[in-house]
Amino acid sequence: MDARLESIKDTVLARNPGEAEFHQAVVEVFESLGPVHDRHPEFLEAAILERLCEPERQIIFRVPWTDDSGRVQINRGFRVEFNSALGPYKGGLRFHPSVYLGIVKFLGFEQIFKNALTGMPIGGGKGGSDFDPRGRSDAEVMRFCQSFMTELYRHIGEYTDVPAGDIGVGGREIGYLFGQYKRITNRYESGVLTGKGISWGGSLVRPEATGFGTVIFTQEMLKTRGTSLDGQRVVVSGSGNVAINAIAKAQTLGATVVACSDSSGYVVDEAGIDVDLLREVKEVERGRLKDYAERRAGVSYVDGGSVWDVDATVALPCATQNELDGDAAARLVRGGLLAVGEGANMPSTRDAVAVFQEAGVLFGPGKAANAGGVATSALEMQQNASRDSWSFEHTEERLTEIMVGIHDRCAATADEYGEPGNYVLGANIGGFVKVADAMLAQGLI
Ligand code: NDP
């Protein structure tokens, strides 16, 4: 790492002790930014990096609620409003027992660059709770969401901060959150949350957007090597929103997705995952992958283990951070891997990224490859602002244009800085320069 950036990084790490995921995200970005500071010494003088690493606002709050047996439960809620240079804070809410400040900050930090890359007017933020929706009844989830919003509502707004979903937060949760916001404020402020239902202000393609976008980005990477997804053997991790829609899109483009996972195990389905059955099991019944395997002939279920043991030419990690380590990456490379498109945020460890890059595998980092979700959220905000709703075809066309644009911007930036094909560098520099320019123009705030 560039020596000037090294000392800023050390200060940032020391100021934020115990936040391993945030440290990892910061180091990864700093490693790309040396050449930018050679060209733009004004960024150093204005302490852009020091300011970027310090969230504009961090909110931590108590979320009390009662479970179905009448017992009082207490969770912790978070919203980190990281950077508003380009627009209102924008980023999802994650409900998962692993959530703590370090995870929310890593996600919020990544979100700044991702949102800049989309070319849309949105800043970066992220939030969530250590609440675990798994195994909770609808009534419990509703009471939790209502209590969470009873504090969060005073911090958000269509021109201030616009949350959306992430792990554990889908259409059901957004509905309960929106209802409580409307009740407290007495405003039908559609643009305050994205990921809403279609009949009450949502956008077509938003549920599919992250997974579809990841596959479109991966297709663009493959095109640079004169190939495509057609005929590829694909492995996807996860079986939630991003994973299911990535599987659907990859198969539409002619690939065969032979495996996917949840946090209990994985399935191998050599005929190609049956997306309708997977949606039925995971989205309608809120069941487990094991149930999928029990209902389809010729499918094997592996309890525990790693889905990255299955050979593939294309890998789409769509579950969670640090789920693919250096050993798994080396195994995939030995199995003939051509490309990785990150649907999840930071799913590959730093070791894994190094293995992929050394082996010449096309590697699309999450902040570029999974930006289709937030980009379509921005399209949802546009529709809300103009009280309009667009067709599926039109919205998907916009998503495709945006993803191709992100790919091309990353590729062109990597070329400009002398590292053709390095999408990590392209994404980090491309996103950073846009935000840094806006911060410079807006003065010391
Ligand atoms: P979901 O909650 O819909 O699905 C998450 C999936 O990942 C589930 O299959 C889950 O398994 C698995 N998973 C979660 N945590 C772990 C873990 N610790 N170990 C193993 N498996 C795990 O979330 P999404 O699909 O929305 O999000 C997936 C990833 O995509 C996240 O990294 C998120 O930040 C990122 N992302 C999401 C966007 C969106 O629009 N939703 C936008 C951009 C990025 P199980 O069911 O067993 O818990």
Side-chain angles (χ1 to χ4, degrees), residues 38-254:
D38 295 338
R39 292 193 195 180
H40 295 282
E42 69 276 17
F43 291 163
L44 281 173
E45 279 156 34
I48 295 290
L49 273 178
E50 291 90 328
R51 284 196 271 150
L52 251 182
C53 293
E54 188 67 29
E56 291 176 16
R57 194 172 296 106
Q58 307 184 53
I59 302 142
I60 302 180
F61 52 99
R62 180 173 66 208
V63 189
W65 55 286
T66 40
D67 66 20
D68 284 346
S69 64
R71 197 170 317 125
V72 173
Q73 301 277 348
I74 307 292
N75 285 101
R76 190 170 287 173
F78 301 88
R79 188 71 185 165
V80 173
E81 297 180 334
F82 228 116
N83 192 288
S84 61
L86 300 181
Y89 310 107
K90 182 87 196 90
L93 299 171
R94 176 177 291 191
F95 292 169
H96 192 271
S98 63
V99 168
Y100 76 108
L101 188 60
I103 287 197
V104 180
K105 281 169 67 178
F106 120 64
L107 290 164
F109 185 71
E110 294 265 302
Q111 198 84 43
I112 303 170
F113 306 99
K114 179 189 308 192
N115 293 4
L117 282 171
T118 65
M120 321 286 283
I122 41 179
K126 199 82 188 189
S129 174
D130 58 0
F131 171 69
D132 188 355
R134 270 211 302 179
R136 291 291 178 189
S137 69
D138 284 355
E140 289 177 316
V141 171
M142 181 177 75
R143 286 195 295 274
F144 173 82
C145 288
Q146 290 179 336
S147 181
F148 185 86
M149 184 53 85
T150 300
E151 172 59 32
L152 187 70
Y153 88 96
R154 67 189 85 244
H155 307 289
I156 62 176
E158 64 182 318
Y159 295 109
T160 314
D161 184 352
V162 184
D166 190 80
I167 291 179
V169 178
R172 173 182 62 171
E173 291 75 17
I174 294 293
Y176 296 146
L177 291 164
F178 184 72
Q180 184 72 352
Y181 182 84
K182 180 165 67 75
R183 184 186 194 192
I184 295 174
T185 59
N186 194 29
R187 282 165 62 85
Y188 204 106
E189 191 184 332
S190 302
V192 71
L193 286 171
T194 59
K196 299 181 293 296
I198 296 307
S199 59
W200 43 278
S203 172
L204 289 167
V205 191
R206 177 61 190 91
E208 295 85 358
T210 308
F212 276 25
T214 300
V215 171
I216 296 166
F217 189 95
T218 306
Q219 175 87 317
E220 292 305 302
M221 291 198 299
L222 287 165
K223 280 188 195 166
T224 67
R225 301 258 172 100
T227 180
S228 74
L229 271 158
D230 193 20
Q232 304 291 349
R233 181 183 161 88
V234 179
V235 169
V236 173
S237 64
S239 48
N241 170 273
V242 179
I244 292 175
N245 290 295
I247 295 169
K249 184 73 173 178
Q251 298 202 142
T252 305
L253 294 176

Side-chain angles (χ1 to χ4, degrees), residues 284-297:
V284 180
E285 298 167 14
R286 294 182 187 278
R288 312 293 300 158
L289 267 185
K290 200 166 186 255
D291 307 328
Y292 171 94
E294 279 165 11
R295 279 157 56 179
R296 185 162 150 87

Side-chain angles (χ1 to χ4, degrees), residues 287-350:
R288 312 293 300 158
L289 267 185
K290 200 166 186 255
D291 307 328
Y292 171 94
E294 279 165 11
R295 279 157 56 179
R296 185 162 150 87
V299 175
S300 55
Y301 176 75
V302 180
D303 201 22
S306 166
V307 73
W308 307 122
D309 286 344
V310 182
D311 283 348
T313 54
V314 174
L316 303 174
C318 296
T320 194
Q321 65 278 351
N322 292 327
E323 50 155 310
L324 199 172
D325 63 16
D327 291 342
R331 202 160 47 239
L332 284 165
V333 167
R334 281 196 302 276
L337 190 71
L338 288 175
V340 179
E342 291 191 326
N345 285 307
M346 212 167 73
S348 311
T349 63
R350 279 159 42 76

